[in-house]
Amino acid sequence: MDVLDLTRLQFAVVTIYHYFFVPLSISLAASAAGLQIAWLRTRRAEYLHLTKFVGKLLIVTFAVGVVTGLVQEFQFGLGWSAFANFYGDVFGPTLAIEGMLAFFLEATFLALWYFGWDRLPRLVHTACIVIVAAGTLLSAFIILAANSFMQNPVAYALDPATGRARLTSFTELMLNKVNLAAFPHTMAGALMVGGALLLALGVWRLAADPAYRILARLGAWLTLAGGGFTALTGDHLGKVITEVQPMKMAAAEALYETTSGAPFAVFATGKPLPEFALEIPWLLSILAKGDPGATVQGIDDLQAQYAAEFGPGSYVPMIPVAFWTFRLMIGAGMLAMAVAAFYLWRTRKARQAPHWLTRWLPLIPLLPAAANTFGWIFTETARQPWIAFGISKTADGISPGLTSTEVLFSLAGFTLVYGVLAVVWLRLVRHLARQPLAASSPSPADKSDLAPVY
């Protein structure tokens, strides 16, 4: 592998690992806020215990997410300084606002919430966790706006004096049509990830405390509802992608010839795909443009169009990667939804889930996490060879003078750090889940025990 491939691999490792914790933080913050509001309305002790339990999960996940985010920033400066230099005037203000506004909003009010039990008025204390949840959404919206610029560059102009891109409208950057479509899709996926974790922990600890049944069913509902919204928002996102990045959609379907009434291939084999395909008639045209008879541009025509517009070269991404990650994303998400729906049906009206199901349910977080990961791999690899579609190629974005040895050395270091963080996070979650739920809510007489224990 050359230095470009190694740098791309390093970016993929760092980003995918960081993204394990981002959707968890978003969904755990929303879950903690919802449980605390339920406790305020009902005064049921189970909701209070679960609020504090989910809040502790959020703090652990948020802390690890901050560390992995710092590693990601370091990797970006190390491997992609040419891109950062050219687009710094666009990304700099955007990321600064995210850090100064959204991140400090989350961190400050999360600390107030954690240390404010029995010290702040209940409504003020509840408002703190609601603000934390809103802060996670704001942070995600701004970060996704920066990524959407790479998918569909808007609100910029090339400065003839410096030769760099400069931001022309922050509002237009935030309202990028790709961001408006990707944000709800990403948030729905985040609900699935957090819901699956709560479902797994609830089922695992149900024998120790019946209150975990509430957590398990809440997790199952979040997984099911998040999956439904993911499908709806994904349909809209697919149409936006077809409009601004037609090569990405063509690569996802391995559609080489421009076709009217294009089918969707559920499965395909061959080199390159598809030599044999199991197809659903007209479905691709429906997904791409909402019309069963619509014409979808093929890879060959798009390659010729881009070569004429941008110059000689290949503008075709890796077809097998785009094809299979798209299907694995959908398949893993649908399977998680099906398992959650089956659990809800089998546990309706105080019924118990069968033993074989409870044995396997602790593994369900792997499904939405895999769906999210495959979705990001598809989003970023099917954009290639562009780092910012239509204006800058990935090969032009890596740091000048970077060597393969330097990338391999730093990649080994990041992998070691991430391995340690994974062990720490898993041990902390296991430790928290093994504590009795009531221990999360000591009586007022035991206020001295409210000090952090992790």
Side-chain angles (χ1 to χ4, degrees), residues 92-111:
T94 306
L95 298 181
I97 290 173
E98 191 276 334
M100 296 298 292
L101 179 62
F103 174 73
F104 278 104
L105 197 68
E106 296 171 61
T108 301
F109 282 91
L110 185 58

Side-chain angles (χ1 to χ4, degrees), residues 10 282 307 313 353 362 398:
Q10 185 183 72
W282 309 299
I398 64 173

Side-chain angles (χ1 to χ4, degrees), residues 365-407:
L366 298 177
L367 290 174
N372 268 13
T373 301
F374 287 129
W376 270 114
I377 293 174
F378 166 71
T379 299
E380 301 307 313
T381 59
R383 186 187 62 226
Q384 300 302 319
W386 302 106
I387 194 168
F389 185 78
I391 57 175
S392 180
K393 292 184 177 179
T394 304
D396 300 325
I398 64 173
S399 302
L402 193 66
T403 66
S404 298
T405 302
E406 292 170 337
V407 179

Side-chain angles (χ1 to χ4, degrees), residues 20 58 129 148 177 195-196 202 244 295 374 376 385 411-412 420 431 437:
F20 285 149
L58 169 63
I129 192 65
S148 296
K177 65 174 67 175
V244 302
T295 299
F374 287 129
W376 270 114
L411 178 58
V420 172
H431 171 73
L437 270 182

Side-chain angles (χ1 to χ4, degrees), residues 59 105-117 120 128 132:
I59 290 171
L105 197 68
E106 296 171 61
T108 301
F109 282 91
L110 185 58
L112 284 173
W113 177 81
Y114 183 69
F115 293 105
W117 284 104
L120 294 174
C128 289
V132 172

Side-chain angles (χ1 to χ4, degrees), residues 167-208:
L167 185 65
T168 57
S169 171
F170 182 76
T171 302
E172 187 180 348
L173 182 72
M174 293 294 108
L175 299 181
N176 187 334
K177 65 174 67 175
V178 174
N179 190 35
L180 296 182
F183 176 71
H185 185 61
T186 307
M187 294 307 99
L191 280 184
M192 288 190 74
V193 176
L197 177 65
L198 298 184
L199 171 58
L201 291 174
V203 170
W204 179 45
R205 298 297 294 163
L206 185 57

Side-chain angles (χ1 to χ4, degrees), residues 26-303:
I26 293 170
S27 54
L28 290 176
S31 299
L35 285 166
Q36 185 158 345
I37 291 172
W39 170 63
L40 272 184
R41 291 178 61 86
T42 65
R43 302 299 184 189
R44 289 178 58 181
E46 297 96 325
Y47 289 141
L48 175 62
H49 300 162
L50 290 172
T51 299
K52 293 193 174 186
F53 172 67
V54 174
K56 289 179 178 179
L57 292 178
L58 169 63
I59 290 171
V60 170
T61 304
F62 182 79
V64 176
V66 169
V67 176
T68 57
L70 292 175
V71 172
Q72 187 182 33
E73 295 283 342
F74 178 74
Q75 189 277 333
F76 196 78
L78 177 70
W80 302 98
S81 64
F83 178 73
N85 181 58
F86 188 70
Y87 296 100
D89 292 345
V90 176
F91 282 6
T94 306
L95 298 181
I97 290 173
E98 191 276 334
M100 296 298 292
L101 179 62
F103 174 73
F104 278 104
L105 197 68
E106 296 171 61
T108 301
F109 282 91
L110 185 58
L112 284 173
W113 177 81
Y114 183 69
F115 293 105
W117 284 104
D118 300 323
R119 293 175 175 84
L120 294 174
R122 286 179 176 174
L123 286 178
V124 174
H125 185 257
T126 303
C128 289
I129 192 65
V130 172
I131 292 173
V132 172
T136 62
L137 295 177
L138 179 61
S139 177
F141 185 77
I142 296 174
I143 293 296
L144 282 172
N147 181 268
S148 296
F149 175 86
M150 299 164 73
Q151 315 294 334
N152 180 42
V154 296
Y156 78 100
L158 295 178
D159 191 328
T162 63
R164 300 170 56 183
R166 59 179 172 82
L167 185 65
T168 57
S169 171
F170 182 76
T171 302
E172 187 180 348
L173 182 72
M174 293 294 108
L175 299 181
N176 187 334
K177 65 174 67 175
V178 174
N179 190 35
L180 296 182
F183 176 71
H185 185 61
T186 307
M187 294 307 99
L191 280 184
M192 288 190 74
V193 176
L197 177 65
L198 298 184
L199 171 58
L201 291 174
V203 170
W204 179 45
R205 298 297 294 163
L206 185 57
D209 191 328
Y212 275 110
R213 177 184 171 84
I214 299 174
L215 193 72
R217 288 184 60 82
L218 171 64
W221 277 115
L222 288 177
T223 305
L224 185 60
F229 282 116
T230 302
L232 290 174
T233 54
D235 177 67
H236 176 59
L237 179 59
K239 292 176 172 59
V240 174
I241 289 175
T242 304
E243 179 184 346
V244 302
Q245 293 178 298
M247 180 65 86
K248 180 179 285 187
M249 181 57 77
E253 300 305 323
L255 183 73
Y256 284 88
E257 297 180 0
T258 299
T259 306
S260 298
F264 179 89
V266 177
F267 176 83
T269 61
K271 292 183 181 180
L273 298 171
E275 185 173 298
F276 166 78
L278 178 63
E279 298 178 336
I280 301 176
W282 309 299
L283 183 55
L284 176 56
S285 288
I286 296 173
L287 293 175
K289 298 189 176 181
D291 179 357
T295 299
V296 181
Q297 281 186 286
I299 295 170
D300 293 341
D301 286 345
L302 287 166
Q303 165 62 28

